[in-house]
Amino acid sequence: MLLLTGATGAVGSQLLPMLLESGQPVRCLVREPRRLGDLRVSVQITLGDLAELSDPYLLRQALRGVDTVVHLAATIRDQPPRRIEELNGLATVRLLRAAENLGVERFVFFSALNASRTQRTRFFRAKALAEQAVSSSPLDSIVFAPSIVYDHSDPWITLLRRFSFLPVMPVSGSGQARYQPIWARDVAHTVVNALKDRGGTDRYELAGPETLSYDEISDLVSWASGRPRPLLHIPLPLVRSGLIALRKVFGEAVFATWEEAELMEVGMVTARGAADVRRLGVEPKRMEEVLSS
């Protein structure tokens, strides 16, 4: 039995049908089973989310009979009263410790490329601490550290497409941070292939076949949407004050938070390029090719 968190996210929604097609029994830790669509009848379900991983009963229920955990779930904004640090860092450690105590054999964790305890954003710092815990665990483990992951309808691409309806395409900050964007389906294939190898500890840096700046990604999305627009760079102090004010008015319904905007000033590039992805038997597609299809 494999426990999958984040099954309704960009990677999870691609990975789940691949696992089921391979004959792998899957249990999903999910808050809203309806978001699994027709696949919800093909999996076991434990109701819960990152905020509830402090509940020992929930953890026992989720991990009963499980030999592999694939922990995809994460958040890039606070979910009051809980903060990013608890939801991405502490929740991972709680799940990991429960897995150690309940006989799980392998723990698969999604970190982030260039995550470190000295990064400027809380998201990357929390991911770095969680990765350190996984790497030091006695369990067999696989750590994936992807660059920016995208899909046709994920919230980030959807937001950029909505921006392209404006006369100009707003870009927070300099737009010069560099990424090696990788398609969620390619990421899912790497996970499936990595799971075929049993035992040991591995770490893979997942990157697409090209390096693009945030400006270039914004341009690409607007062109792929059929609405090419000039870019308008908005100074970070103005972005910060504006998004904080909007969050006070709209709460968690706000279209973006300052923490999310700040992430686009942090590059996610590996000198290895797409080598790890190819080592796992996947030839990653270019972003333009994916979004134009």
Side-chain angles (χ1 to χ4, degrees):
M1 179 62 68
L2 181 149
L3 175 67
L4 178 63
T5 75
T8 60
V11 176
S13 60
Q14 299 279 357
L15 176 60
L16 179 56
M18 294 180 189
L19 292 172
L20 293 174
E21 185 177 349
S22 71
Q24 170 66 57
V26 178
R27 179 180 300 141
C28 295
L29 177 66
V30 63
R31 182 172 48 199
E32 300 176 29
R34 287 179 299 177
R35 293 183 59 193
L36 293 171
D38 293 340
L39 294 181
R40 67 183 181 274
V41 300
S42 302
V43 300
Q44 295 184 17
I45 291 174
T46 297
L47 292 174
D49 58 19
L50 291 172
E52 298 175 88
L53 289 181
S54 59
D55 181 352
Y57 174 77
L58 174 69
L59 287 169
R60 287 195 300 271
Q61 183 184 35
L63 293 169
R64 185 181 63 254
V66 166
D67 60 78
T68 299
V69 173
V70 178
H71 184 36
L72 300 178
T75 181
I76 56 176
R77 65 167 67 181
D78 293 332
Q79 297 176 7
R82 293 174 172 85
R83 292 168 57 84
I84 288 172
E85 292 87 345
E86 178 180 358
L87 297 170
N88 288 333
L90 186 55
T92 299
V93 174
R94 287 167 173 161
L95 182 59
L96 176 67
R97 297 294 177 246
E100 293 170 354
N101 293 331
L102 294 170
V104 172
E105 298 174 6
R106 181 164 53 171
F107 196 97
V108 180
F109 174 63
F110 264 69
S111 184
L113 196 58
N114 299 335
S116 78
R117 288 180 291 176
T118 59
Q119 271 280 15
R120 62 185 284 177
T121 69
R122 294 186 292 129
F123 171 82
F124 282 101
R125 294 196 296 269
K127 281 291 189 180
L129 291 170
E131 180 179 340
Q132 182 179 20
V134 173
S135 299
S136 61
S137 170
L139 298 182
D140 292 340
S141 65
I142 303 174
V143 172
F144 292 100
S147 184
I148 197 162
V149 178
Y150 69 93
D151 201 3
H152 296 83
S153 57
D154 72 51
W156 175 56
I157 294 297
T158 299
L159 180 61
L160 291 180
R161 283 180 166 148
R162 288 173 178 170
F163 281 161
S164 72
F165 283 102
L166 301 172
V168 294
M169 190 90 162
V171 175
S172 63
S174 67
Q176 296 307 301
R178 293 160 64 79
Y179 307 92
Q180 292 163 319
I182 182 165
W183 187 22
R185 184 174 296 178
D186 288 337
V187 173
H189 278 298
T190 66
V191 176
V192 170
N193 291 345
L195 287 173
K196 294 176 183 176
D197 294 327
R198 302 295 301 186
T201 298
D202 292 298
R203 185 180 188 277
Y204 301 101
E205 295 186 345
L206 303 183
E210 57 191 343
T211 300
L212 301 173
S213 70
Y214 187 31
D215 274 356
E216 291 171 327
I217 292 173
S218 298
D219 268 335
L220 192 156
V221 173
S222 67
W223 277 94
S225 302
R227 296 178 294 273
R229 295 289 187 267
L231 303 182
L232 175 65
H233 293 95
I234 304 174
L236 284 179
L238 183 58
V239 173
R240 183 178 187 276
S241 60
L243 289 177
I244 289 175
L246 285 172
R247 193 171 192 180
K248 289 179 179 178
V249 174
F250 296 104
E252 299 314 302
V254 68
F255 72 92
T257 66
W258 163 241
E259 288 83 3
E260 292 166 334
E262 190 180 24
L263 289 174
M264 304 316 299
E265 286 292 302
V266 181
M268 301 174 74
V269 174
T270 173
R272 300 214 293 265
D276 284 3
V277 178
R278 294 187 175 109
R279 184 155 64 96
L280 287 167
V282 178
E283 182 59 43
K285 290 189 176 182
R286 294 169 58 245
M287 192 174 194
E288 181 178 6
E289 180 183 358
V290 173
L291 295 183
S292 298
S293 61

